[in-house]
Amino acid sequence: MLIHNATVITWGKQNAVLPAHSVYIKDGLINDLGPDSQLEKKYAKEEKLDAAGQILMPGNICTHTHFYGAYARGMAIPGPAPKDFPEILKRLWWPLDKSLDEKSVRASALVHLVDAIKCGTTTLFDHHASPNFIDGSLDVIANAVDQTGLRAVLCYEVTDRDGDAKAKAGIRENVRFIERTSKPDAAGSRLAALFGLHASLTLSDETLDACRAALPDDAGFHIHVAEHEADQEDSLAKSGLRVVPRLVKHGILNRGSIAAHAVHVDAAEIEMLAESGAWVSHQPRSNMNNGVGAADIDALTKAGVKVVLGNDGFTQDMWTEWKAAYLLHKVWHRDPRKMNGADLAAIAARNNAALASSLYAGPSFGAIIPGWKADLILVDYHPFTPLTTGNLPWHIVFGFQERMVTMTMVDGKVLMRDRKLLYIDEAEIAAKALELAPEVWARYAQFAEAAMNEEKLDR
Ligand SMILES: [Zn+2]
């Protein structure tokens, strides 16, 4: 297929903005890139997609999300509003993940995946929890991903908070799914895996060691790190170490691992994160929503930590996350120079693509380069000031909106065209999810009530 009559944004190291350009796609890969005048002649007989002057660019990537949180939309938390992040965990997320069964895990994944296609997010790193439906839960999500045509890196959040048997089941589920995605016949698959862990504060030394021992050598972990001070207090009480040294000691942070958040890490921990080679995923909307503070992205990047951008289960529109990051660090530091557009693009475009590409065999993706995978979007954005490689990040922050995404393609296959989903029915997916909502919410209300009573007893 030849996509022609486009302004091509290539991303990649040699980022370029190329008006009146075409991209030729063959066998799921970007095969050729050049001016319309040349490629329209060269591929005259091929199927064409007229971009009509729109922007053609790589799809967005989200490095940390939670499909399982979908049923939190519009849900009431019984009792007074949670006063801090530990209460949000105990009274919202943990009772909610307990409420999920096979059907609702599938529905949660599908509604997020629909959103992702419509927002032009083509690769997602999901961090899943459903303690009452662990075995096979990643297959259910994988099937949903497969059905939608997107690309996803899955894992199960191992935790001790629901007892030893469920911690072991979580380990088993990760190992099983890592093995499934690393089989030779899985090459070229749009699915990949990491080994999921909830957070230091719900993991014993024994469980951390069991996870490390179960991890195939070349795989990485995906874990929440120091999202709130409570993670540090718990780690110090349990081990005498802060969270990052504790995880390093147990072999959890390596070059393939993702540490989500890193809001409450000190200077020594930042150095350790840089030395470990682990990626730190930043989620500004979530940090603001939970009132946990802001990760010091400036200090992390200066220390050489590879920072990437996720959304922690918010909507899958990554440009909204760009905007949140762009604004948050200015207000947090009271300095308008913080998180400038170029730094943001290095994180959200370049680093996200490097992390995602490292988890898949074969060609890379996240840039328009011949030989790379064709995960692409068309954006109906018509700049009224010059659009250049230098000012592109500011056009994105101040001008791009997800509703402008008109075409989403993964592996050369068009999943949405002219904003119409080609293989899945959004209304049907939403209706099925809605049908299950009363029973999920009823189960949640019971678990939430129990959590509130437990808390009262603790006081
Ligand atoms: Zn998270």
Side-chain angles (χ1 to χ4, degrees):
M1 174 190 279
L2 184 76
I3 304 178
H4 66 126
N5 198 9
T7 293
V8 174
I9 292 172
T10 65
W11 285 134
K13 274 192 193 129
Q14 312 289 328
N15 186 25
V17 177
L18 308 166
H21 265 62
S22 298
V23 171
Y24 177 59
I25 294 145
K26 196 180 174 201
D27 301 330
L29 300 178
I30 294 159
N31 183 284
D32 207 350
L33 162 69
D36 287 330
S37 54
Q38 288 174 14
L39 265 58
E40 281 171 4
K41 267 186 226 139
K42 195 170 167 187
Y43 301 102
K45 289 185 182 149
E46 300 289 337
E47 179 193 358
K48 300 218 173 34
L49 198 163
D50 184 357
Q54 294 179 81
I55 285 169
L56 178 65
M57 64 192 294
N60 288 312
I61 294 165
C62 168
T63 58
H64 179 76
T65 194
H66 300 281
F67 297 155
Y68 79 77
Y71 280 101
R73 178 83 53 92
M75 190 179 75
I77 302 173
K83 69 175 187 309
D84 57 17
F85 182 62
E87 276 197 14
I88 292 173
L89 285 177
K90 283 182 200 148
R91 293 180 42 211
L92 171 59
W93 298 117
W94 297 351
L96 179 60
D97 67 25
K98 281 196 185 84
S99 311
L100 299 175
D101 59 4
E102 179 172 348
K103 277 194 257 173
S104 43
V105 165
R106 178 176 169 76
S108 298
L110 281 171
V111 295
H112 269 287
L113 292 161
V114 165
D115 189 34
I117 296 177
K118 292 178 80 181
C119 293
T121 300
T122 48
T123 300
L124 304 115
F125 286 63
D126 186 52
H127 199 244
H128 176 67
S130 52
N132 289 318
F133 170 55
I134 299 173
D135 291 331
S137 59
L138 296 181
D139 284 343
V140 170
I141 300 169
N143 288 345
V145 171
D146 227 24
Q147 188 189 338
T148 56
L150 288 163
R151 204 183 284 288
V153 182
L154 308 182
C155 71
Y156 187 88
E157 285 183 18
V158 174
T159 175
D160 287 318
R161 68 175 194 262
D162 302 304
D164 189 47
K166 289 189 179 184
K168 288 202 168 78
I171 293 172
R172 240 182 6 248
E173 183 63 3
N174 279 301
V175 170
R176 191 188 61 75
F177 195 73
I178 289 170
E179 283 169 358
R180 173 186 156 176
T181 54
S182 57
K183 281 190 185 128
D185 64 351
S189 157
R190 286 172 285 97
L191 293 163
L194 286 167
F195 194 115
L197 296 169
H198 172 246
S200 172
L201 86 162
T202 68
L203 290 159
S204 66
D205 288 353
E206 293 72 31
T207 302
L208 287 175
D209 288 339
C211 292
R212 179 62 250 184
L215 179 81
D217 278 345
D218 51 351
F221 290 99
H222 187 174
I223 179 170
H224 295 116
V225 171
E227 186 169 0
H228 183 270
E229 292 93 329
D231 207 15
Q232 291 293 5
E233 289 155 13
D234 172 89
S235 181
L236 285 165
K238 265 200 292 228
S239 65
L241 294 169
R242 288 175 66 86
V243 173
V244 173
R246 176 168 187 244
L247 295 177
V248 167
K249 184 182 160 199
H250 290 277
I252 303 299
L253 297 175
N254 61 39
R255 297 195 67 75
S257 296
I258 301 175
H261 298 299
V263 174
H264 295 277
V265 288
D266 65 16
E269 289 179 294
I270 289 175
E271 286 301 320
M272 287 183 100
L273 281 167
E275 269 169 40
S276 73
W279 304 80
V280 167
S281 188
H282 180 42
Q283 288 70 229
R285 280 188 289 177
S286 163
N287 294 164
M288 289 191 274
N289 185 48
N290 290 324
V292 295
D296 194 345
I297 300 301
D298 211 31
L300 285 159
T301 49
K302 277 188 183 132
V305 176
K306 300 172 297 183
V307 177
V308 288
L309 193 71
N311 64 33
D312 214 13
F314 267 71
T315 47
Q316 298 297 343
D317 41 346
M318 291 307 292
W319 294 325
T320 304
E321 205 70 45
W322 280 56
K323 290 165 198 177
Y326 187 83
L327 300 172
L328 169 62
H329 296 278
K330 290 170 177 57
V331 70
W332 186 252
H333 290 279
R334 295 228 34 216
D335 181 346
R337 294 168 300 183
K338 295 294 180 189
M339 189 59 79
N340 79 58
D343 296 341
L344 184 51
I347 290 169
R350 215 170 49 227
N351 289 356
N352 276 26
L355 166 59
S357 294
S358 74
L359 284 158
Y360 287 87
S364 300
F365 50 93
I368 298 185
I369 295 172
W372 285 36
K373 286 177 183 161
D375 288 10
L376 305 171
I377 57 175
L378 277 175
V379 187
D380 192 17
Y381 177 70
H382 298 275
F384 50 81
T385 56
L387 172 66
T388 66
T389 49
N391 70 18
L392 170 61
W394 286 267
H395 273 275
I396 293 177
V397 168
F398 292 103
F400 280 36
Q401 292 180 45
E402 283 65 30
R403 64 177 165 78
M404 295 173 179
V405 176
T406 63
M407 189 280 299
T408 301
M409 168 189 280
V410 174
D411 260 352
K413 185 174 174 182
V414 178
L415 307 179
M416 177 177 79
R417 187 163 179 176
D418 298 327
R419 284 203 71 73
K420 285 197 181 61
L421 301 172
L422 301 187
Y423 299 100
I424 47 172
D425 184 338
E426 181 182 10
E428 190 188 311
I429 286 169
K432 275 196 182 151
L434 184 60
E435 217 177 273
L436 298 174
E439 49 175 278
V440 175
W441 282 11
R443 289 195 291 268
Y444 162 76
Q446 285 182 350
F447 288 123
E449 205 69 46
M452 207 160 48
N453 292 336
E454 236 172 74
E455 235 170 78
K456 275 182 202 148
L457 287 177
D458 283 351
R459 274 190 201 132

